[in-house]
Amino acid sequence: MSDWNKRTKAVHHGIRRSQYGEVSEAIFMTQGFVYDSAEAAEARFIKAGEDEFIYARYGNPTVAMFEDRIAALEGTEDGFATASGMAAVHGALAAMLRAGDHVVSARALFGSCLYILQEVLPRFGVDVTFVDGTDLAAWQAAIRPDTKLVFFESISNPTLEVVDIKAVAALAHAQGAMVMVDNVFSTPVFSDAVALGADVVIYSATKHIDGQGRALGGIILGKRDFIRGTVEPFMKHTGGSMSPFTAWLMLKGLETMDLRVRAQAASAQQIAQALVADGKLRVIYPGLADHPQHALTMAQMGAGGTVMAIDAGSKEAAFALLNQLEIFTISNNLGDAKSIVTHPATTTHQRLDAETKIALGITPGLIRCSIGLEDPADLLADLRAAIG
């Protein structure tokens, strides 16, 4: 199995078949498990075997299949599946951090990630320093000998800044700090985060992994000692684990993810280039040659990803554009089979003050465009009509 390519692993890795020999993975819809004896129950609570389960909040065969499969794709030893992407972010951070710990984080983050790092962690005595994620000198100045962790999105939401994972990881590891990467925009298809130095990788499985707008989910990936020794005890006692049915949906999503994501990225590249040629508004896309981190993007991912951004110039112009679209759906998800547009300043990053939004590049006219599986010519025509 280790010799298989990602696409093959995404279909086959980690399958646990019951005595019935089913082709599609089984959904083990149970909250508990039966023991042969009181002694067996005691032994399992002391230490469960590799394929033994106690309670669905601790683990489940269907969930374990998803954890094993996505860990194989990402190149980590293990993973813990969570109820949502934000449960993964909060769980990974809260499980390892204590009062007095120091974290260095990129400042450009998804709104809920910012909330955890700005509001939640400081309540419990965690010191957080924010830096420009694209500025290696800023990282070097901020990371201290007592820094416990660095945290960043490999591609920031929604302004699409790309962080040099290898360089930041080297700076962090030189000071003994762990590297935690929210890798949603890079996707498991294009990700090479672990090989580049990431210790912990987080995904919102709601996005490209499910990819069809059906369910919330998340995954924390890393070394087995960290996942089972640090993350699992915290998550099983605080209740953020994934349900068996959600895990089954995610397994089905993984089977088609490679094909979907590559098609979406190709469409995003085509649409972004056409809009730049039109010259009617600013286009931000890491796959474009004029993106500040284009060379880095190609080195880290080999593609620009499935998300682009356009700037209509003002909130009024952005709203007018959004309201004219026929194919694109106004929502706040991304990585979906359906193309989705979002106005971050009034939705996902609404709670930030105007000064912070501008500092992060979230202008009043900025529109995040998640490119789906529709015909790219139709999507481009829809955008051009709305822009016009």
Side-chain angles (χ1 to χ4, degrees):
M1 285 187 180
S2 60
D3 295 333
W4 292 350
N5 291 317
K6 279 189 176 184
R7 231 168 98 177
T8 307
K9 288 179 180 178
V11 177
H12 291 287
H13 193 92
I15 285 179
R16 287 167 162 83
R17 287 194 169 94
S18 76
Q19 69 271 32
Y20 298 109
E22 61 280 345
V23 173
S24 181
E25 296 80 357
I27 308 174
F28 290 91
M29 276 313 271
T30 179
Q31 43 76 5
F33 300 85
V34 175
Y35 313 100
D36 292 336
S37 65
E39 290 80 6
E42 178 188 37
R44 195 173 300 182
F45 267 79
I46 292 171
K47 184 172 177 57
E50 188 172 328
D51 209 38
E52 292 181 337
F53 302 92
I54 295 171
Y55 191 62
R57 182 158 43 84
Y58 296 18
N60 171 282
T62 312
V63 177
M65 282 189 268
F66 172 63
E67 292 169 343
D68 290 349
R69 190 170 297 180
I70 189 68
L73 290 181
E74 197 64 29
T76 62
E77 292 178 356
D78 210 342
F80 191 92
T82 62
S84 69
M86 288 315 305
V89 173
H90 176 256
L93 291 168
M96 70 172 294
L97 296 172
R98 303 290 184 271
D101 284 345
H102 179 238
V103 176
V104 180
S105 171
R107 64 183 183 179
L109 300 172
F110 175 55
S112 295
C113 293
L114 270 176
Y115 180 81
I116 289 175
L117 287 151
Q118 287 180 329
E119 304 288 340
V120 177
L121 293 181
R123 294 178 197 170
F124 298 95
V126 177
D127 179 21
V128 182
T129 301
F130 290 95
V131 299
D132 178 347
T134 65
D135 186 344
L136 292 179
W139 283 106
Q140 186 165 22
I143 299 170
R144 313 186 308 229
D146 65 337
T147 299
K148 183 74 173 287
L149 175 75
V150 301
F151 178 86
F152 56 89
E153 296 171 353
S154 52
I155 302 178
S156 69
N157 182 0
T159 50
L160 305 175
E161 295 177 357
V162 183
V163 176
D164 189 332
I165 299 173
K166 186 175 183 179
V168 174
L171 293 172
H173 291 156
Q175 297 285 12
M178 287 183 67
V179 178
M180 188 177 293
V181 180
D182 183 334
N183 216 30
V184 168
F185 278 49
S186 293
T187 80
V189 174
F190 298 127
S191 170
D192 206 16
V194 173
L196 293 170
D199 299 299
V200 182
V201 177
I202 295 166
Y203 285 104
S204 170
T206 313
K207 311 304 190 290
H208 303 90
I209 295 172
D210 173 33
Q212 291 156 84
R214 300 172 296 191
L216 295 174
I219 186 79
I220 305 166
L221 298 154
K223 290 184 177 178
R224 184 163 288 109
D225 286 349
F226 175 74
I227 296 298
R228 298 303 158 190
T230 301
V231 173
E232 183 186 287
F234 180 85
M235 296 304 293
K236 76 181 185 182
H237 291 300
T238 55
S241 54
M242 180 179 281
S243 78
F245 183 69
T246 297
W248 183 80
L249 288 174
M250 298 305 173
L251 283 164
K252 296 295 100 182
L254 283 176
E255 292 179 351
T256 62
M257 179 183 63
D258 191 283
L259 297 172
R260 287 186 284 104
V261 168
R262 290 187 189 279
Q264 288 168 290
S267 293
Q269 183 76 37
Q270 179 181 334
I271 293 165
Q273 288 175 335
L275 292 179
V276 167
D278 291 347
K280 293 187 176 180
L281 41 66
R282 187 165 70 101
V283 181
I284 307 168
Y285 181 62
L288 293 174
D290 67 352
H291 188 281
Q293 293 93 43
H294 172 70
L296 173 63
T297 302
M298 293 299 105
Q300 284 192 172
M301 294 171 53
T306 68
V307 180
M308 55 182 281
I310 56 178
D311 198 324
S314 68
K315 174 184 171 181
E316 293 72 23
F319 276 29
L321 192 160
L322 291 170
N323 291 335
Q324 288 295 316
L325 291 166
E326 294 184 355
I327 300 174
F328 282 85
T329 302
I330 301 174
S331 188
N332 48 290
N333 193 23
L334 61 92
D336 196 281
K338 296 179 176 66
S339 291
I340 292 171
V341 282
T342 306
H343 187 249
T346 56
T347 58
T348 57
H349 293 71
Q350 183 270 337
R351 75 173 190 89
L352 303 179
D353 59 51
E355 184 179 351
T356 303
K357 288 175 187 173
I358 295 302
L360 294 175
I362 304 170
T363 59
L366 189 74
I367 298 170
R368 188 186 72 193
C369 306
S370 173
I371 304 303
L373 292 174
E374 303 93 342
D375 190 295
D378 290 336
L379 294 175
L380 180 58
D382 195 28
L383 283 167
R384 279 173 166 163
I387 292 167

